[in-house]
Amino acid sequence: MVAVHSWGRLSNQEHRVTMLGDRSQAGTCVKNTAPGLAYGMGCSYGDACLNPQGTLWLTTNLNRFIAFDGKSGRLRCEAGVLLRDIQQLMVPRGWMLPVSPGTQLITVGGAISNDVHGKNHHVEGSFGDHIIKLSLVRTDGETIHCGPEERSEWFAATVGGVGLTGVITTAELQLRPVAGPWIHTETIPYRQLSEFIELADRSEAQWEYTVAWIDCLAKNKARGLFTRGSHVHEKECANEKPRALTPIRSFNFPVMPPFSMVNRLSLRLFNMGYYHLKKLKSGEKISHYEPFFYPLDKIHNWSRMYGRKGFFQYQSVVPRDSGYDVTRAMLKAISQSHEGSFLAILKTFGNRQSLGMLGFPAPGITLALDFPNHGARTEKLFKRLDAIVREAKGRLYLAKDARMPRAMFETGYPKFHDFMLYRDPGISSSLSRRLMGS
Amino acid sequence: MTSRKRIVIVGATSAIARQCARLWVKDHPSDIILLGRNEEKLAILAADLKVRSPKTRIPCMQADFINPDHIQSVVNQIYQEGPVTMVLIAHGFLPLQKLCQENLNLCREALAINALSPVLFAEAFATHMQKVNKGTLAVIGSVAGDRSRKSNYVYGAAKGMIERYVQGLQHRFSHSQVKVILIKPGPTDTPMTTHLKESGRKMAGVDRVAMDMVRGIAQGKRVIYTPRIWRFIMGGIRHLPYFIFNRMDI
Ligand SMILES: Cc1cc2nc3c(=O)[nH]c(=O)nc-3n(C[C@H](O)[C@H](O)[C@H](O)COP(=O)(O)OP(=O)(O)OC[C@H]3O[C@@H](n4cnc5c(N)ncnc54)[C@H](O)[C@@H]3O)c2cc1C
Ligand SMILES: NC(=O)c1ccc[n+]([C@@H]2O[C@H](COP(=O)([O-])OP(=O)(O)OC[C@H]3O[C@@H](n4cnc5c(N)ncnc54)[C@H](OP(=O)(O)O)[C@@H]3O)[C@@H](O)[C@H]2O)c1
């Protein structure tokens, strides 16, 4: 048995682990060792990738490319390939993943299973929108090939299906052409939520990427920094000095402090400092895609700074029309609770639903906040936020969740009854037991 | 333009070898000959390398790893098509020590795959390398070969034999252009060691180990410990007096 945790480090319980070999053997291995659950890079914050006392199928050795067509940009690969490996190989050839979440250190299988989104949801939708086909092995030995055109109901269950429909062994992805690695970015400070909304609305037509950081401790005003970006075109690329495509220089957060380094004082200082420093440096610049898409990958294991008790991320999406009032109410509740968050991200989603039955992205405003685990105190705040999100007919992101009540899941994900028909009875997770009863 | 490299990987499907191959094809297209026991797995690896480096040629060869005649003929065949820049001998097998004690067939297999087979391959390549007075021959041993302990001494003894053997080859080629390299990885996170994870063992990542190997081989090091810390740890362990060592539960 091995102690395994997810990104939030809220628990560190024992699991049996089995490493999957290549795609020719994965199916047999899954069948012979079921029941279990696939585990990619464990970058889900909550319990979607955990199965304490049970088996985890580690997928990171399932990491071979299969074929790439340089004309169409279609890439076939095994499901344990990291997004980083795709980007580093393909960007110099003029292709890139159309959707990138805030870290590239995750697997293709994990990205499909949570139907992850990036800063360009209003243009490209989410990860599942770019999957042409995938292979799923079930614990009874069956292999299912599916895609938007082929057995599409299996596809819709698997995209965003948090690993519960089977183990994805291979996938075919449609990459997008890019002129180079450069992104033209602009950072604009804002001092009110309404300003943020206005900036987001105005930017969406012209800019491919939009996202905002928000200082949720600032009293009565929602100040923050709005960032937008677009790919630099071929002609402009030529003027850029050809810099080597090296991975981001990263370092490791070396130790686990016994208590959280994120507390009221450090947060206030950090937020104030961050806001003012970035404000000074705001404006336009040309950035390499790595620091622009994946700023957090610079510090490996940064989640350790929250100490032994770990931390939660609370990510909600609420419809656009009520979005302003709801987000205001949430920010107010947070500031009143004195629980703080320094990785607070605010973003508008474009006008499209995830194609997955349990997919998260939906038209509206999404707010993502990290909170150190202070036990009952933190849960009290979450209950208040839950009430606001439910009232607004919003939902919480399964990739981040470790605690939402079952009733909230059922109202947030009305297609979950359909989803249940496609579950693999030999697969379950902490999350599925908590939210679906098995 | 430097001439195209011709690299042979024996036991190419191993996780460590696979990662080395990826690093080798990354910068320069070359010829990589993959040797293994399972054709399907070799083809899967070849496809992966081909996506990474479309201009690399990747023939695959299936071989019986303990049949001397077969080994000889496979190696001859490779040399018929030209000399080889570098050979990596990577295959290995780590059965549970307890099972080796209970089952002599398993014990024999561990010795055959980890000691006998690499020696036969190395010997066959060495003969050809000597003829052309050129080539680098790298063999993966293990830190387990530095001092045998009760929890895996059959494997350890086989890896120890690799070390003695490589020592002899290095002596034989000391006045030639042929380089012989011994690689000693510490515990590495691969399918071979999934069961060791269970004991909560900290292991190095394959990326790191492969990077050290590729760099060390390019520099022509005689012995490569990876991660490097193992040079010092094993230095300590080798020199522990037996009355202390034998009391340790390792
Ligand atoms: C720093 C950071 C930033 C992030 N930013 C974003 C963001 O901007 N947008 C966003 O959407 N998400 C974001 N995330 C969340 C992350 O992208 C998702 O949790 C992602 O699913 C993690 O992938 P993984 O490979 O680590 O999978 P895991 O976390 O190991 O697993 C996730 C789920 O996928 C299942 N799974 C994994 N592999 C397979 C497989 N081969 N077959 C079937 N099921 C499988 C697991 O069972 C589990 O249910 C971020 C996470 C971090 C740590
Ligand atoms: N992992 C570690 O902690 C560690 C530490 C020190 C040294 N090493 C050594 O490093 C090398 C690579 O190990 P790895 O961890 O990468 O292992 P791995 O991924 O488990 O690969 C083992 C390799 O050996 C081959 N093999 C096993 N039995 C064989 C047989 N009977 N006939 C032919 N081929 C056989 C396998 O072929 P198939 O793919 O066809 O099964 C595979 O290519 C080995 O020599 C190992 O002893 C490993």
Side-chain angles (χ1 to χ4, degrees):
Chain A
M1 297 293 245
V2 188
V4 179
H5 58 81
S6 67
W7 190 250
R9 294 175 185 266
L10 288 160
S11 71
N12 198 24
Q13 298 193 62
E14 306 260 286
H15 292 71
R16 265 186 307 279
V17 295
T18 301
M19 209 185 249
L20 298 181
D22 61 40
R23 57 190 176 279
S24 68
Q25 304 166 322
T28 324
C29 178
V30 163
K31 185 176 170 202
N32 291 342
T33 52
L37 176 74
Y39 183 92
M41 287 293 278
C43 278
S44 297
Y45 284 63
D47 55 2
C49 57
L50 298 177
N51 184 22
Q53 310 308 323
T55 294
L56 286 181
W57 297 302
L58 310 184
T59 64
T60 43
N61 191 46
L62 193 64
N63 67 356
R64 294 155 196 82
F65 290 118
I66 302 171
F68 177 64
D69 178 354
K71 286 207 187 74
S72 63
R74 287 178 173 205
L75 173 71
R76 279 209 299 141
C77 64
E78 292 181 348
V81 166
L82 299 187
L83 303 193
R84 178 198 62 192
D85 295 344
I86 297 178
Q87 299 287 59
Q88 287 184 355
L89 186 68
M90 294 302 167
V91 171
R93 295 190 200 173
W95 295 95
M96 187 183 260
L97 286 166
V99 171
S100 266
T103 171
Q104 57 178 342
L105 301 174
I106 67 165
T107 63
V108 167
I112 296 172
S113 300
N114 273 319
D115 194 18
V116 302
H117 57 269
K119 300 178 176 61
N120 59 353
H121 183 266
H122 58 283
V123 181
E124 297 283 6
S126 44
F127 204 83
D129 290 316
H130 307 277
I131 302 298
I132 300 165
K133 215 187 232 180
L134 57 83
S135 309
L136 189 67
V137 298
R138 305 262 295 174
T139 56
D140 62 6
E142 191 187 356
T143 300
I144 293 173
H145 304 284
C146 61
E149 312 281 318
E150 183 186 354
R151 305 187 80 175
S152 56
E153 67 295 354
W154 280 98
F155 187 63
T158 302
V159 170
V162 274
L164 300 174
T165 60
V167 176
I168 304 166
T169 51
T170 66
E172 183 168 352
L173 288 73
Q174 177 65 60
L175 304 184
R176 56 164 288 170
V178 283
W182 308 108
I183 311 269
H184 174 196
T185 73
E186 183 175 19
T187 300
I188 305 165
Y190 63 89
R191 303 194 61 86
Q192 264 165 27
L193 192 59
S194 54
E195 254 182 76
F196 158 80
I197 304 237
E198 223 178 276
L199 270 168
D201 285 345
R202 254 194 298 130
S203 305
E204 281 184 5
Q206 307 268 338
W207 298 77
E208 175 167 350
Y209 302 100
T210 64
V211 69
W213 171 78
I214 179 164
D215 177 358
C216 62
L217 291 182
K219 284 235 168 63
N220 300 326
K221 43 182 188 214
R223 72 172 176 201
L225 302 156
F226 182 85
T227 304
R228 54 194 187 182
S230 281
H231 287 273
V232 173
H233 295 299
E234 208 151 354
K235 275 183 247 122
E236 302 161 80
C237 256
N239 300 333
E240 266 310 307
K241 275 185 228 98
R243 264 178 268 175
L245 255 185
T246 46
I248 324 182
R249 219 170 299 150
S250 57
F251 63 92
N252 194 23
F253 198 88
V255 287
M256 169 80 89
F259 49 83
S260 172
M261 291 167 66
V262 182
N263 53 42
R264 243 175 268 177
L265 180 65
S266 68
L267 257 175
R268 204 166 280 284
L269 285 173
F270 174 87
N271 281 6
M272 209 159 65
Y274 187 79
Y275 178 78
H276 287 291
L277 267 179
K278 286 275 175 176
K279 197 174 150 191
L280 279 178
K281 291 208 282 184
S282 60
E284 298 187 45
K285 64 172 189 177
I286 303 285
S287 166
H288 190 272
Y289 76 88
E290 282 194 341
F292 179 69
F293 288 156
Y294 320 115
L296 292 169
D297 288 354
K298 262 198 157 141
I299 313 172
H300 287 204
N301 292 317
W302 57 261
S303 60
R304 282 184 179 157
M305 76 183 170
Y306 285 97
R308 286 190 215 294
K309 287 196 189 146
F311 72 109
F312 293 93
Q313 184 165 94
Y314 191 93
Q315 182 168 3
S316 55
V317 59
V318 295
R320 191 73 168 244
D321 40 8
S322 59
Y324 172 77
D325 295 327
V326 174
T327 309
R328 241 178 90 108
M330 290 176 76
L331 291 172
K332 194 164 158 213
I334 294 162
S335 122
Q336 282 172 350
S337 76
H338 298 296
E339 296 286 311
S341 162
F342 88 126
L343 276 174
I345 303 293
L346 192 56
K347 169 157 179 57
T348 47
F349 277 150
N351 197 16
R352 59 207 274 183
Q353 288 279 350
S354 163
L355 62 84
M357 294 173 186
L358 298 188
F360 171 69
I365 298 185
T366 178
L367 178 63
L369 306 141
D370 285 0
F371 294 98
N373 176 12
H374 291 146
R377 229 168 81 195
T378 318
E379 181 57 27
K380 195 170 145 208
L381 167 64
F382 289 159
K383 287 230 167 71
R384 277 191 70 186
L385 296 177
D386 286 355
I388 302 172
V389 173
R390 276 187 76 171
E391 164 94 27
K393 301 205 166 8
R395 61 167 70 129
L396 300 185
Y397 191 5
L398 298 179
K400 311 289 174 77
D401 181 56
R403 40 75 44 201
M404 86 167 107
R406 198 164 160 180
M408 179 151 189
F409 166 69
E410 292 181 3
T411 50
Y413 292 90
K415 290 191 192 154
F416 93 94
H417 290 291
D418 302 337
F419 172 79
M420 294 302 272
L421 301 174
Y422 300 95
R423 271 194 66 177
D424 185 322
I427 296 181
S428 92
S429 62
S430 278
L431 179 139
S432 74
R433 294 189 284 275
R434 179 165 61 81
L435 297 177
M436 305 170 197
S438 66
Chain B
M1 204 183 91
T2 52
S3 67
R4 212 175 152 94
K5 283 198 179 120
R6 200 152 173 260
I7 300 170
V8 180
I9 307 181
V10 183
T13 53
S14 100
I16 293 178
R18 176 170 83 228
Q19 200 56 33
C20 291
R22 288 172 173 171
L23 294 175
W24 281 321
V25 302
K26 195 168 161 192
D27 297 324
H28 308 285
S30 26
D31 289 1
I32 296 216
I33 301 160
L34 306 180
L35 239 75
R37 62 172 160 176
N38 180 326
E39 267 169 309
E40 190 183 3
K41 288 174 85 175
L42 289 171
I44 284 174
L45 173 61
D48 173 75
L49 296 174
K50 198 79 188 164
V51 171
R52 290 168 194 269
S53 174
K55 290 194 182 129
T56 287
R57 274 194 296 262
I58 313 161
C60 297
M61 296 173 90
Q62 199 260 343
D64 176 344
F65 275 56
I66 42 178
N67 179 335
D69 296 331
H70 200 208
I71 290 171
Q72 187 70 63
S73 86
V74 167
V75 174
N76 289 350
Q77 206 182 319
I78 291 172
Y79 266 85
Q80 257 163 28
E81 283 157 35
V84 169
T85 326
M86 173 179 24
V87 177
L88 174 67
I89 299 181
H91 56 290
F93 171 51
L94 177 62
L96 288 177
Q97 169 64 30
K98 189 163 158 285
L99 299 181
C100 285
Q101 287 160 215
E102 289 162 4
N103 177 348
L104 292 189
N105 281 309
L106 192 68
C107 184
R108 185 181 74 166
E109 193 186 341
L111 293 170
I113 289 302
N114 293 310
L116 191 59
S117 167
V119 166
L120 296 178
F121 273 107
E123 211 40 47
F125 279 109
T127 308
H128 285 283
M129 287 184 173
Q130 184 163 33
K131 268 190 218 147
V132 293
N133 190 24
K134 193 167 91 175
T136 297
L137 179 57
V139 189
I140 307 187
S142 168
V143 293
D146 279 12
R147 185 162 188 176
S148 274
R149 56 201 167 91
K150 65 183 173 190
S151 59
N152 75 346
Y153 60 84
V154 171
Y155 174 81
K159 290 294 190 181
M161 169 164 157
I162 297 291
E163 170 147 28
R164 288 291 87 80
Y165 170 78
V166 166
Q167 220 170 42
L169 266 191
Q170 286 172 336
H171 191 199
R172 171 175 159 196
F173 288 119
S174 57
H175 294 295
S176 81
Q177 298 301 312
V178 178
K179 281 210 181 72
V180 186
I181 296 171
L182 176 63
I183 297 148
K184 299 196 210 177
T188 309
D189 192 0
T190 74
M192 181 178 278
T193 50
T194 313
H195 63 280
L196 289 182
K197 262 199 166 126
E198 307 263 310
S199 55
R201 221 21 202 286
K202 273 256 181 290
M203 290 193 271
V206 183
D207 292 9
R208 162 80 193 276
V209 167
M211 195 101 80
D212 284 355
M213 284 172 57
V214 166
R215 195 176 301 146
I217 291 172
Q219 291 167 350
K221 288 201 170 142
R222 207 170 42 82
V223 178
I224 302 167
Y225 277 94
T226 165
R228 236 168 81 85
I229 178 95
W230 284 99
R231 177 184 292 278
F232 308 103
I233 298 176
M234 293 320 294
I237 290 186
R238 265 202 323 269
H239 291 103
L240 274 183
Y242 75 91
F243 55 86
I244 298 180
F245 184 81
N246 285 357
R247 262 189 276 164
M248 291 166 67
D249 193 19
I250 54 173

